[in-house]
């Protein structure tokens, strides 16, 4: 299953970015204000502020997505966020390739560190983040009620 490709965001995939994320969020949690902000206004909230969205395509269908949100933080340059892979394509390393594309992008623009928030209920996601090199941290305020783990990756 290596027939997929990772591309940078194009507006034609706006609805897929939202739908793929809404699918996993509503399966395990509830949509929160910050979800709607990022998913309903991805271009304004992510792209126009210096971030990037990556799309995994299989036969021109978006099967996975991941955002890199620019942060105004003295330690972290970006937040890895809104990673989702269609359930029928999970287990094919798409999440790993999306995460790697985000990390490579961050390196390419001179970022020093990436932050992420998640929930330990999502064990496969936490395992993926560790495989990508993220380590657990704590102490940052989150706009999400569901967050019970924070992680970071130093890329310098």
């Amino acid at each position: 299953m290596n027939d997929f490709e990772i591309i940078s965001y194009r507006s034609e995939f706006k609805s897929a970015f939202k739908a793929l994320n809404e699918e996993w969020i509503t399966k395990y949690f509830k949509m929160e204000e910050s979800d709607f902000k990022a998913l309903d206004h991805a271009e304004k909230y992510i792209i126009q502020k210096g971030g990037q969205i990556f799309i995994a395509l299989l036969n021109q269908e978006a099967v996975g997505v991941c955002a890199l949100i620019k942060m105004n933080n003295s330690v972290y340059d970006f937040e890895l966020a809104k990673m989702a892979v269609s359930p029928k394509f999970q287990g094919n390393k798409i999440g790993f390739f999306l995460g790697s594309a985000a990390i490579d992008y961050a390196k390419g623009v001179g970022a020093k560190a990436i932050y992420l928030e998640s929930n330990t209920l999502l064990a496969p996601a936490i395992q993926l983040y560790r495989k990508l090199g993220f380590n657990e941290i704590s102490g940052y305020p989150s706009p999400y009620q569901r967050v019970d783990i924070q992680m970071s990756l130093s890329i310098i």
Side-chain angles (χ1 to χ4, degrees):
M1 163 83 202
N2 289 331
D3 296 341
F4 65 90
E5 64 175 321
I6 308 294
I7 65 163
S8 294
Y9 180 80
R10 296 193 312 239
S11 59
E12 67 195 84
F13 296 111
K14 179 181 180 176
S15 61
F17 178 65
K18 181 177 181 178
L20 285 165
N21 273 288
E22 236 176 16
E23 183 175 22
W24 77 262
I25 293 168
T26 58
K27 179 178 179 178
Y28 296 102
F29 310 103
K30 66 179 176 88
M31 292 284 288
E32 298 182 46
E33 182 181 333
S34 291
D35 292 313
F36 290 111
K37 188 165 123 180
L39 298 175
D40 289 337
H41 309 285
E43 291 167 3
K44 178 181 176 185
Y45 181 70
I46 299 169
I47 304 293
Q48 292 173 11
K49 291 187 176 183
Q52 187 56 266
I53 297 172
F54 303 92
I55 314 287
L57 291 180
L58 179 64
N59 300 323
Q60 297 307 303
E61 176 189 355
V63 298
V65 294
C66 177
L68 200 57
I69 301 172
K70 184 77 174 127
M71 294 181 73
N72 280 332
N73 185 289
S74 61
V75 178
Y76 300 107
D77 301 288
F78 291 100
E79 176 185 359
L80 185 72
K82 303 299 181 230
M83 182 182 283
V85 176
S86 170
K88 58 186 173 180
F89 295 103
Q90 290 175 359
N92 290 295
K93 299 186 179 181
I94 293 171
F96 179 80
F97 285 107
L98 284 165
S100 296
I103 292 166
D104 288 345
Y105 177 88
K107 285 179 185 175
V109 297
K112 294 175 182 60
I114 303 173
Y115 169 86
L116 70 79
E117 300 177 327
S118 192
N119 187 291
T120 51
L121 179 67
L122 307 171
I126 304 305
Q127 183 179 2
L128 168 64
Y129 302 141
R130 288 193 170 110
K131 187 174 181 180
L132 288 167
F134 284 83
N135 296 301
E136 193 170 342
I137 60 165
S138 63
Y140 286 88
S142 173
Y144 296 100
Q145 291 181 347
R146 65 179 173 260
V147 168
D148 71 357
I149 187 171
Q150 298 170 322
M151 303 178 86
S152 71
L153 172 69
S154 177
I155 53 177
I156 53 172

